Amino acid sequence: MHRDSPLALMSKAKADAALITTCPAPPPDSVSALSFGRESDMLAAASWDGAVRVYNGAATGCGELLWTGADTDPLLDCTFGVTDDTLFAAGLSGSVLCFDPSQQQLSSTSSESATASVVGSHDGPVSSLCYDPFVTNTLLSAGWDGAVKQWDLRTASPLVATARLGAVAVAAGGGVTKALSMDATGHKLVVAGTNRVIEVFDLRRMGRFLQARESSLASQTRRVRCSPDGERFVVAGMEGRIAVEMIDPSPEAQVRIIVTITAYIT
C-alpha cells in the first residue's frame, strides 16, 4: 500500500488549512448549533452566551457578521424556516423564539440584539429544532420535558400537536425520556432521546409514534440525521462512533443496511 511521506502530509495539511477561514466576531462562548440558509449563503450559529448570530457564509469564506439576536439563557439549537427571512432558536429558557433577520440588520460593531417573538414553550430546556418545508410546512421542537411539539405559524394558535417521547416507558412507570436530537425526512420525524431511545413519528399524525427502538450504539445519542431518500438515518454517539440504520424495521430492510455499511467500509 502506498503511503505519503511525512513531508507530503505536511504540505497537504498546509493546503487544507489555507481553505479554512474564521468567522469575524465569533461567539465568546461555546457554539451549540449551526444552520445554513435554504436560499442563500447565510450561516446561523447558536451559542451558550444566549445569542444567535448570522454570518455571510459565501463560497469565498465566512464573511461579515450580518445580524445578532439574543435570549436570556444559553441557546441549544437554531434553524431557518421555509425562507431565510425566518430564523428559529431555542435553549435552556424553554421558549421557542422566532427572529426575522431581514427586518433587523445590525452591524457587527453594534451592541444591540434583535428582538424575537415567542412561538411557544416547553416545560424545560428545548434541545432540538427542525423545520419541515416539504410536507407540512411546520416547525418541530423537542425538549428535555419529553415533549415533541409541532407548530404552524400561519395560524392564530400555532401549536398543532404534541407527542410524548418514551410514552410506553412512562406508562410503565419509567421516568421522562429527554429529547436530544431529531430530523425529518419526507413525512417521517426521527427523534433520539435519553436511554438510547429512538422513535419515529408521522408528521401528518403526530399524536402517536410509528415505531420505537433502541439505538444500536452503546452510548447516549449526540445527533441524529436522516438521509434525503427517507430510507435511513444516522446516529452519532458520545463515544465518537456512528451507526447507520434503516427506518423500515422489517428484517429485509435491516439486511440491506448491513450490505450498505460493509460496502462503505470496504
PDB file of all heavy atoms in Angstrom, residues 237-253:
ATOM      1  N   GLY A 237     -22.941   8.929  18.451  1.00  0.00           N
ATOM      2  CA  GLY A 237     -22.939   8.723  19.890  1.00  0.00           C
ATOM      3  C   GLY A 237     -21.837   9.487  20.597  1.00  0.00           C
ATOM      4  O   GLY A 237     -20.910  10.019  19.980  1.00  0.00           O
ATOM      5  N   MET A 238     -21.936   9.534  21.905  1.00  0.00           N
ATOM      6  CA  MET A 238     -20.983  10.274  22.715  1.00  0.00           C
ATOM      7  C   MET A 238     -19.586   9.664  22.684  1.00  0.00           C
ATOM      8  O   MET A 238     -18.605  10.329  22.994  1.00  0.00           O
ATOM      9  CB  MET A 238     -21.476  10.341  24.165  1.00  0.00           C
ATOM     10  CG  MET A 238     -22.762  11.128  24.351  1.00  0.00           C
ATOM     11  SD  MET A 238     -22.575  12.875  23.959  1.00  0.00           S
ATOM     12  CE  MET A 238     -21.512  13.404  25.307  1.00  0.00           C
ATOM     13  N   GLU A 239     -19.474   8.375  22.307  1.00  0.00           N
ATOM     14  CA  GLU A 239     -18.167   7.741  22.294  1.00  0.00           C
ATOM     15  C   GLU A 239     -17.417   7.975  20.995  1.00  0.00           C
ATOM     16  O   GLU A 239     -16.318   7.444  20.797  1.00  0.00           O
ATOM     17  CB  GLU A 239     -18.310   6.233  22.559  1.00  0.00           C
ATOM     18  CG  GLU A 239     -18.698   5.401  21.337  1.00  0.00           C
ATOM     19  CD  GLU A 239     -20.193   5.339  21.102  1.00  0.00           C
ATOM     20  OE1 GLU A 239     -20.897   6.317  21.408  1.00  0.00           O
ATOM     21  OE2 GLU A 239     -20.675   4.290  20.629  1.00  0.00           O
ATOM     22  N   GLY A 240     -18.025   8.767  20.085  1.00  0.00           N
ATOM     23  CA  GLY A 240     -17.344   9.084  18.838  1.00  0.00           C
ATOM     24  C   GLY A 240     -17.632   8.136  17.701  1.00  0.00           C
ATOM     25  O   GLY A 240     -16.959   8.182  16.674  1.00  0.00           O
ATOM     26  N   ARG A 241     -18.632   7.284  17.848  1.00  0.00           N
ATOM     27  CA  ARG A 241     -18.995   6.359  16.786  1.00  0.00           C
ATOM     28  C   ARG A 241     -20.322   6.770  16.153  1.00  0.00           C
ATOM     29  O   ARG A 241     -21.114   7.493  16.749  1.00  0.00           O
ATOM     30  CB  ARG A 241     -19.110   4.934  17.331  1.00  0.00           C
ATOM     31  CG  ARG A 241     -17.800   4.366  17.862  1.00  0.00           C
ATOM     32  CD  ARG A 241     -17.982   2.938  18.306  1.00  0.00           C
ATOM     33  NE  ARG A 241     -16.733   2.363  18.785  1.00  0.00           N
ATOM     34  CZ  ARG A 241     -16.602   1.102  19.189  1.00  0.00           C
ATOM     35  NH1 ARG A 241     -17.646   0.295  19.178  1.00  0.00           N
ATOM     36  NH2 ARG A 241     -15.431   0.661  19.599  1.00  0.00           N
ATOM     37  N   ILE A 242     -20.564   6.277  14.923  1.00  0.00           N
ATOM     38  CA  ILE A 242     -21.834   6.493  14.255  1.00  0.00           C
ATOM     39  C   ILE A 242     -22.410   5.152  13.828  1.00  0.00           C
ATOM     40  O   ILE A 242     -21.684   4.166  13.671  1.00  0.00           O
ATOM     41  CB  ILE A 242     -21.691   7.416  13.030  1.00  0.00           C
ATOM     42  CG1 ILE A 242     -20.820   6.754  11.953  1.00  0.00           C
ATOM     43  CG2 ILE A 242     -21.149   8.774  13.423  1.00  0.00           C
ATOM     44  CD1 ILE A 242     -20.851   7.500  10.634  1.00  0.00           C
ATOM     45  N   ALA A 243     -23.724   5.136  13.655  1.00  0.00           N
ATOM     46  CA  ALA A 243     -24.402   3.937  13.170  1.00  0.00           C
ATOM     47  C   ALA A 243     -25.422   4.356  12.126  1.00  0.00           C
ATOM     48  O   ALA A 243     -26.109   5.366  12.290  1.00  0.00           O
ATOM     49  CB  ALA A 243     -25.099   3.198  14.311  1.00  0.00           C
ATOM     50  N   VAL A 244     -25.506   3.596  11.045  1.00  0.00           N
ATOM     51  CA  VAL A 244     -26.496   3.831  10.002  1.00  0.00           C
ATOM     52  C   VAL A 244     -27.600   2.792  10.164  1.00  0.00           C
ATOM     53  O   VAL A 244     -27.325   1.593  10.200  1.00  0.00           O
ATOM     54  CB  VAL A 244     -25.865   3.723   8.599  1.00  0.00           C
ATOM     55  CG1 VAL A 244     -26.899   4.035   7.532  1.00  0.00           C
ATOM     56  CG2 VAL A 244     -24.677   4.666   8.475  1.00  0.00           C
ATOM     57  N   GLU A 245     -28.836   3.258  10.261  1.00  0.00           N
ATOM     58  CA  GLU A 245     -29.954   2.342  10.482  1.00  0.00           C
ATOM     59  C   GLU A 245     -31.054   2.600   9.462  1.00  0.00           C
ATOM     60  O   GLU A 245     -31.244   3.732   9.012  1.00  0.00           O
ATOM     61  CB  GLU A 245     -30.515   2.510  11.904  1.00  0.00           C
ATOM     62  CG  GLU A 245     -29.496   2.264  12.998  1.00  0.00           C
ATOM     63  CD  GLU A 245     -30.120   2.247  14.386  1.00  0.00           C
ATOM     64  OE1 GLU A 245     -31.316   1.929  14.478  1.00  0.00           O
ATOM     65  OE2 GLU A 245     -29.419   2.563  15.361  1.00  0.00           O
ATOM     66  N   MET A 246     -31.773   1.550   9.107  1.00  0.00           N
ATOM     67  CA  MET A 246     -32.919   1.679   8.218  1.00  0.00           C
ATOM     68  C   MET A 246     -34.129   2.104   9.032  1.00  0.00           C
ATOM     69  O   MET A 246     -34.355   1.615  10.141  1.00  0.00           O
ATOM     70  CB  MET A 246     -33.207   0.346   7.529  1.00  0.00           C
ATOM     71  CG  MET A 246     -32.100  -0.142   6.611  1.00  0.00           C
ATOM     72  SD  MET A 246     -31.841   0.924   5.176  1.00  0.00           S
ATOM     73  CE  MET A 246     -33.374   0.687   4.282  1.00  0.00           C
ATOM     74  N   ILE A 247     -34.933   3.013   8.484  1.00  0.00           N
ATOM     75  CA  ILE A 247     -36.172   3.404   9.150  1.00  0.00           C
ATOM     76  C   ILE A 247     -37.169   2.252   9.134  1.00  0.00           C
ATOM     77  O   ILE A 247     -37.859   2.001  10.124  1.00  0.00           O
ATOM     78  CB  ILE A 247     -36.767   4.657   8.489  1.00  0.00           C
ATOM     79  CG1 ILE A 247     -35.841   5.856   8.727  1.00  0.00           C
ATOM     80  CG2 ILE A 247     -38.164   4.949   9.022  1.00  0.00           C
ATOM     81  CD1 ILE A 247     -36.323   7.152   8.117  1.00  0.00           C
ATOM     82  N   ASP A 248     -37.221   1.544   8.013  1.00  0.00           N
ATOM     83  CA  ASP A 248     -38.090   0.371   7.900  1.00  0.00           C
ATOM     84  C   ASP A 248     -37.589  -0.719   8.850  1.00  0.00           C
ATOM     85  O   ASP A 248     -36.454  -1.181   8.720  1.00  0.00           O
ATOM     86  CB  ASP A 248     -38.073  -0.141   6.460  1.00  0.00           C
ATOM     87  CG  ASP A 248     -39.031  -1.304   6.237  1.00  0.00           C
ATOM     88  OD1 ASP A 248     -39.610  -1.813   7.223  1.00  0.00           O
ATOM     89  OD2 ASP A 248     -39.202  -1.710   5.072  1.00  0.00           O
ATOM     90  N   PRO A 249     -38.407  -1.152   9.836  1.00  0.00           N
ATOM     91  CA  PRO A 249     -37.930  -2.135  10.810  1.00  0.00           C
ATOM     92  C   PRO A 249     -37.985  -3.580  10.336  1.00  0.00           C
ATOM     93  O   PRO A 249     -37.589  -4.481  11.076  1.00  0.00           O
ATOM     94  CB  PRO A 249     -38.901  -1.925  11.983  1.00  0.00           C
ATOM     95  CG  PRO A 249     -40.178  -1.508  11.332  1.00  0.00           C
ATOM     96  CD  PRO A 249     -39.781  -0.697  10.122  1.00  0.00           C
ATOM     97  N   SER A 250     -38.443  -3.845   9.119  1.00  0.00           N
ATOM     98  CA  SER A 250     -38.575  -5.213   8.647  1.00  0.00           C
ATOM     99  C   SER A 250     -37.214  -5.888   8.525  1.00  0.00           C
ATOM    100  O   SER A 250     -36.203  -5.225   8.262  1.00  0.00           O
ATOM    101  CB  SER A 250     -39.287  -5.251   7.298  1.00  0.00           C
ATOM    102  OG  SER A 250     -38.478  -4.665   6.297  1.00  0.00           O
ATOM    103  N   PRO A 251     -37.149  -7.210   8.706  1.00  0.00           N
ATOM    104  CA  PRO A 251     -35.873  -7.932   8.576  1.00  0.00           C
ATOM    105  C   PRO A 251     -35.228  -7.738   7.213  1.00  0.00           C
ATOM    106  O   PRO A 251     -34.001  -7.660   7.105  1.00  0.00           O
ATOM    107  CB  PRO A 251     -36.275  -9.394   8.796  1.00  0.00           C
ATOM    108  CG  PRO A 251     -37.535  -9.326   9.609  1.00  0.00           C
ATOM    109  CD  PRO A 251     -38.252  -8.102   9.130  1.00  0.00           C
ATOM    110  N   GLU A 252     -36.053  -7.640   6.159  1.00  0.00           N
ATOM    111  CA  GLU A 252     -35.498  -7.452   4.816  1.00  0.00           C
ATOM    112  C   GLU A 252     -34.741  -6.125   4.710  1.00  0.00           C
ATOM    113  O   GLU A 252     -33.660  -6.050   4.123  1.00  0.00           O
ATOM    114  CB  GLU A 252     -36.614  -7.490   3.773  1.00  0.00           C
ATOM    115  CG  GLU A 252     -37.319  -8.830   3.652  1.00  0.00           C
ATOM    116  CD  GLU A 252     -38.364  -9.040   4.735  1.00  0.00           C
ATOM    117  OE1 GLU A 252     -38.594  -8.086   5.527  1.00  0.00           O
ATOM    118  OE2 GLU A 252     -38.933 -10.136   4.807  1.00  0.00           O
ATOM    119  N   ALA A 253     -35.294  -5.090   5.308  1.00  0.00           N
ATOM    120  CA  ALA A 253     -34.641  -3.782   5.271  1.00  0.00           C
ATOM    121  C   ALA A 253     -33.373  -3.773   6.112  1.00  0.00           C
ATOM    122  O   ALA A 253     -32.369  -3.166   5.734  1.00  0.00           O
ATOM    123  CB  ALA A 253     -35.603  -2.700   5.757  1.00  0.00           C
TER     124      ALA A 253
END
